[in-house]
Amino acid sequence: MDLKNKEYIDKIKKLAKEKNAVIFAHYYTRPEIQECADFIGDSLALAQQATHVRANILVMCGVHFMGETMKILCPDKKVLIPDMNAGCSLADSCKAEELAAFKAQHPDHMVVSYVNTSAEVKALTDVVVTSSNAKKIVDQLPADAKIIFGPDHNLGSYINSVTGRHMLLWDGACHVHSRFSLEALLQLKKENPGVEVLAHPECKAPILAQSDVIGSTKALLEHTIKSPAKRFIIATESGILHEMQKACPEKEFIPVPPEVTEGVGCSCNECEYMRMNTLDKLYNCLLNEYPEMNVPKETAIKAVSSIQRMLEMS
Ligand code: 13P
Ligand code: SF4
């Protein structure tokens, strides 16, 4: 960590304290943002923690839907997010109007939505899930329930495979997790025989089929901490490596690279939306208490029950 960043982080922490603000960060944010945070976590942990915090101001360093979820759960708090444009390709792959039309075609189905969705989609949902609790929650639904699962097709297929359900899957995907290269993974396995592969369930089925541990960011992190192994191959957004390396400085983490498409795309496995959270934006957002997340009351009232149901069933 360079001195300039260290000073900036201290300044941000001091300002947060003065304002009685609590900073939350997802594991995929930049390392220096994670260093500012009071709580670092996956989508489930961040939502759970938000409901237990007393502070007046909550700052969510993540992406838009995470700020929305926080505001829906904590309507009386001021929820700030450093960049309102930090979206999510997965959430964007399911528009509320399209889901409403699909539901109308399947009136006997209940809707299970991944947390990576807009507040409007959550308002059309019976129960929200995250990658941490999707299996546990789907397992608790009535055995004969007909289910629409969205928007992540890869996670949905994985949950179908581990629960034996036949949920109808939405055709959405995360552009980061769906672009990991199978060829590169096979090569890494060949070069590192016996090294465990850890993957997020948003990855495509062929990547998951080559993985030893499949889980949310938190589950993967916990596995690296408790496992006696010294080296791991990681197929998820590379921001998590910061926390893994911090927790296990003596271990080695080998990231799986994405497919390189001729002339297009990013040659890294970073989520550009998560990286939109910078120290400058975090500082200014705390200082000006802007941009502030707001969710229309009617939407929030409908969305909160599907999120609450998730928290109860987790
Ligand atoms: P989790 O935080 O549930 O592991 O989800 C990962 C993700 O893609 C967040 O955007
Ligand atoms: Fe969305 Fe994928 Fe980025 Fe997560 S990593 S915020 S799912 S685009």
Side-chain angles (χ1 to χ4, degrees):
M1 175 85 36
D2 69 38
L3 193 61
K4 220 170 114 234
N5 272 359
K6 170 90 181 70
E7 281 169 11
Y8 212 169
I9 291 165
D10 290 344
K11 202 164 123 180
I12 288 170
K13 285 184 168 172
K14 188 165 168 268
L15 182 58
K17 206 166 178 193
E18 282 164 17
K19 293 207 170 225
N20 188 24
V22 172
I23 302 175
F24 296 78
H26 191 272
Y27 288 124
Y28 294 167
T29 52
R30 296 167 185 270
E32 62 272 25
I33 294 290
Q34 297 185 40
E35 291 299 319
C36 294
D38 299 289
F39 294 108
I40 310 169
D42 65 357
S43 313
L44 176 63
L46 292 172
Q48 285 170 327
Q49 275 158 355
T51 61
H52 294 125
V53 154
R54 288 227 177 139
N56 309 325
I57 300 179
L58 312 180
V59 188
M60 181 63 233
C61 301
V63 292
H64 191 273
F65 77 80
M66 296 181 175
E68 274 187 340
T69 307
M70 196 167 265
K71 182 66 188 178
I72 293 167
L73 284 170
C74 311
D76 301 329
K77 310 254 175 180
K78 186 178 263 191
V79 175
L80 306 173
I81 79 165
D83 191 330
M84 271 295 165
N85 294 317
C88 167
S89 55
L90 180 52
D92 286 348
S93 66
C94 182
K95 303 276 179 242
E97 321 78 80
E98 293 165 2
L99 178 61
F102 195 64
K103 268 183 79 164
Q105 287 165 16
H106 302 278
D108 53 347
H109 282 58
M110 63 183 297
V111 178
V112 176
S113 291
Y114 193 29
V115 69
N116 296 41
T117 43
S118 66
E120 290 76 16
V121 165
K122 290 186 177 80
L124 295 169
T125 294
D126 295 289
V127 58
V128 169
V129 298
T130 74
S131 50
S132 277
N133 59 22
K135 179 180 181 308
K136 187 174 178 187
I137 289 178
V138 170
D139 274 339
Q140 291 174 64
L141 301 175
D144 58 349
K146 293 182 177 174
I147 303 168
I148 296 170
F149 183 95
D152 193 63
H153 196 278
N154 295 330
L155 175 67
S157 307
Y158 171 68
I159 297 300
N160 270 344
S161 73
V162 292
T163 59
R165 301 265 179 167
H166 301 282
M167 301 188 293
L168 274 185
L169 305 182
W170 195 262
D171 194 17
C174 156
H175 72 297
V176 179
H177 287 90
S178 55
R179 74 180 173 211
F180 286 111
S181 162
L182 177 62
E183 209 186 332
L185 173 58
L186 293 174
Q187 185 60 30
L188 280 176
K189 285 182 74 161
K190 210 164 142 190
E191 289 164 8
N192 300 278
V195 173
E196 276 186 329
V197 178
L198 279 52
H200 195 280
E202 287 174 25
C203 295
K204 285 183 181 162
I207 296 283
L208 299 182
Q210 292 296 328
S211 303
D212 303 289
V213 181
I214 298 168
S216 73
T217 41
K218 186 163 173 255
L220 301 184
L221 172 65
E222 283 173 359
H223 180 82
T224 60
I225 295 171
K226 64 172 196 277
S227 165
K230 293 280 178 240
R231 304 176 75 227
F232 303 89
I233 297 172
I234 310 289
T236 190
E237 211 273 1
S238 58
I240 187 67
L241 301 184
H242 176 67
E243 200 56 26
M244 286 177 171
Q245 203 69 76
K246 217 171 131 183
C248 310
E250 76 293 359
K251 298 189 180 180
E252 188 191 347
F253 304 99
I254 308 162
V256 179
E259 275 165 9
V260 183
T261 320
E262 196 84 15
V264 202
C266 170
S267 60
C268 63
N269 42 20
E270 292 177 356
C271 171
E272 58 270 45
Y273 301 114
M274 288 284 183
R275 309 287 152 151
M276 286 167 88
N277 292 279
T278 60
L279 289 179
D280 272 337
K281 287 184 206 166
L282 174 54
Y283 180 75
N284 286 324
C285 135
L286 259 173
L287 187 70
N288 304 317
E289 299 184 18
Y290 177 87
E292 183 178 351
M293 176 60 72
N294 278 303
V295 178
K297 224 179 180 156
E298 252 181 61
T299 311
I301 289 169
K302 287 188 199 150
V304 77
S305 31
S306 60
I307 306 172
Q308 295 278 18
R309 201 162 296 136
M310 165 185 83
L311 295 177
E312 285 157 21
M313 292 171 82
S314 292

